[in-house]
Amino acid sequence: MVARRGRQYTAPARRAWRRSLQLRVVTLTLIGSSLLVSTFGWFIAAQSANILLNRTQDEISSSMSGKVAYAYSQLTLHPQARDPELPNTINDTVNDLVDGDQTENGGSIISIRAEHYQDLPAVTLPPVDTRDLITPDMIRTVAEQGQVAQQIRTAEVGGATTKYLVYGSPVPTKFGHLELYYMVPLTTEDRAANQIRTTVLITGIALVILLGVVAALVTRMVVTPVRVAARTAQRLSAGLLDQRMKVDGEDDLALLAAAFNQMAANLQRQIVRLEEMSRLQRRFTSDVSHELRTPLTTVRMAADLIFSEREDFDPAVARSAELLQAELDRFEGLLTDLLEISRFDAGFAALDAEHTDLVPIVERVAERLSGLAERAGVDVELRLPDTPVIAEVDPRRVERVLRNLVGNAIEHAEAKPVVVTLSTDEAAVAVTVRDYGIGLKPGEERLVFNRFWRADPSRARQTGGTGLGLSISVEDARLHGGWLEAWGAPGEGSQFRLTLPVRAGDRLVAAPLPLIPRDRPAEVTG
């Protein structure tokens, strides 16, 4: 649940990431420059802080040597630790060291301790608690091992938390040695280091932003021509063949624009040439169809006369007269279909829609094809509603579509029944024609609507069709704003579905009848 909700929230960002090359380039530039600048800035800040600390350590180490020498000169006058004047000398020495240090490191702390002589109290000026600054480990190193030690400690001194550089050194005397501790605040160094870090941070952020702006500008210079090319290509694909890109300069992008324009010009010439060839082909088909009408009429008159007198001829001549009449019928149908196809191709086909009851149309088609069905041994079953099915259609075109569908079903039914079903809902009306013949192979449900296509060219035709019936039918369906679809499977027959909107001009969304028949045999699974 959480993951799905997270994907929903991030979907706009992921979509923008996939679609925008400029966004990806700028984002990757910002990430890379941020890592580089942050690493470089951290290195600079760390080195600067180390340089400041080393310089301070050198200064304090030098100052510490002088303080140890001065304390030695003052404390070595006393031959023993029980000298009653020794505490006063320690106090005076610490005062002198503090007074001499005010001009160098303001706020520093000086302490002299005597770990081996419990009778000598520690003297610290200013009088503050130094337990957090002078650690037991440091005392052990200085007092017991007699070595110089240093450390950096942060402690609350005088009500303020401050970082100190603490030096400790033994001070030799005639009776042994005492310990001198010198604590210098690093406030100035910390302030300088913070200023350096702030400066590096601000400079790094400004540099990253500048790099992002530069990357955006550079990417825009490259992406903008690509986007222009994409929009121009979309306009070209939409049919606006005169669209071209603007060519500026002589760089690579200008060469791309020039090459794109040359390609568009070549495509325009080829498309115009193909359109002209198609127009000439359509005109040729139309002209030939019209021109053949006149000789066909003359031949038809002569053939009708011969056919009417065939009883008086020899059997061979009478049979020739019958064949001539049949072929003339087929030839006349072919011319009629070619004229209709040419009207569709030229865009001259018009829809003469009116409110029509489709039930009588289906019944009339079945009645007119009853003779063909009887000769083929096919039983045509009608499954029609009891009430009228009213739709705004062109009845002539709908009847022609159904005549083609039912005639093809009878031809391929192989003496099995053909079922014609009519159904309607509020938005659409559908007619399915189901046969149980040879069926269609995979992929043929799309090829079946091509002009002059046959599933089996060697198959004997009983109806004398022209091969244009389904092509004209699909154009009639499209003219209504409807669908004409096919389904078939080898050995299971086929089903064609005509779907039309109830109201002319409405957009179809669904069909009242399924394309795949409900009585299809269930597949056997292993």
Side-chain angles (χ1 to χ4, degrees), residues 64 67-68 97 110-112 167-169 171 179-182:
M64 184 68 176
K67 288 177 171 37
V68 171
L97 293 176
I110 297 177
S111 177
I112 294 181
Y167 266 85
S169 175
V171 180
E179 300 88 42
L180 173 63
Y181 295 96
Y182 185 27

Side-chain angles (χ1 to χ4, degrees), residues 319-330:
R319 177 58 180 165
S320 298
E322 293 175 356
L323 291 176
L324 176 62
Q325 185 75 7
E327 290 303 315
L328 281 175
D329 290 340
R330 184 168 181 268

Side-chain angles (χ1 to χ4, degrees), residues 28 126 205 296 300 312 376 390 453 480 484:
L28 293 176
I205 293 175
L296 177 63
R300 165 66 73 180
D312 299 333
I390 306 299
W453 184 87
H480 283 83
L484 182 57

